[in-house]
């Protein structure tokens, strides 16, 4: 792993930890998608967590061993369509 990759990984982890902490402090009622904390890109003033779809798909491919097509299908049928009430997370494309 290059020095740049290590620095990016460290910064990403710090940003993720800061976001997760802020959400827990200010919006304890917010609902999270299990296993995708690193895909959080923000939160709304109503307390809904915002996830990057592109990062979720990459996580499914990298950590679950899915193909790109399998990750899209899994996301659409198991994550994106799950409605859990007023605090259901928001999923948005970032690339």
């Amino acid at each position: 792993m290059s020095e740049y990759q290590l620095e990016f990984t460290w910064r990403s982890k710090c940003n993720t930890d800061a976001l997760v902490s802020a959400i827990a402090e200010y919006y304890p009622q917010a609902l999270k998608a299990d296993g995708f904390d690193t895909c959080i890109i923000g939160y709304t003033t109503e307390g809904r967590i915002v996830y990057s779809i592109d990062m979720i798909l990459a996580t499914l491919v990298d950590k679950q061993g899915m193909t790109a097509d399998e990750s899209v299908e899994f996301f659409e049928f198991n994550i994106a369509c799950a409605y859990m009430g007023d605090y259901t997370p928001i999923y948005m494309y970032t690339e």
Side-chain angles (χ1 to χ4, degrees):
M1 199 178 270
S2 73
E3 182 178 327
Y4 172 76
Q5 288 171 318
L6 287 173
E7 182 177 338
F8 179 75
T9 301
W10 180 82
R11 285 187 182 181
S12 295
K13 178 69 174 153
C14 290
N15 292 341
T16 297
D17 290 345
L19 275 172
V20 171
S21 294
I23 292 165
E25 180 178 347
Y26 298 116
Y27 301 105
Q29 73 279 15
L31 300 172
K32 292 180 9 179
D34 292 337
F36 297 104
D37 282 1
T38 58
C39 305
I40 296 172
I41 57 173
Y43 56 94
T44 68
T45 56
E46 294 85 24
R48 294 175 67 186
I49 298 174
V50 181
Y51 288 90
S52 164
I53 294 172
D54 302 298
M55 293 170 74
I56 289 174
L57 297 177
T59 298
L60 290 170
V61 169
D62 293 342
K63 301 208 175 181
Q64 300 295 325
M66 296 182 186
T67 66
D69 289 339
E70 289 170 338
S71 70
V72 170
E73 182 177 344
F74 182 88
F75 173 77
E76 289 175 350
F77 288 103
N78 296 291
I79 300 172
C81 69
Y83 178 74
M84 300 173 281
D86 292 340
Y87 299 105
T88 298
I90 295 170
Y91 303 99
M92 67 181 279
Y93 289 98
T94 51
E95 292 184 10

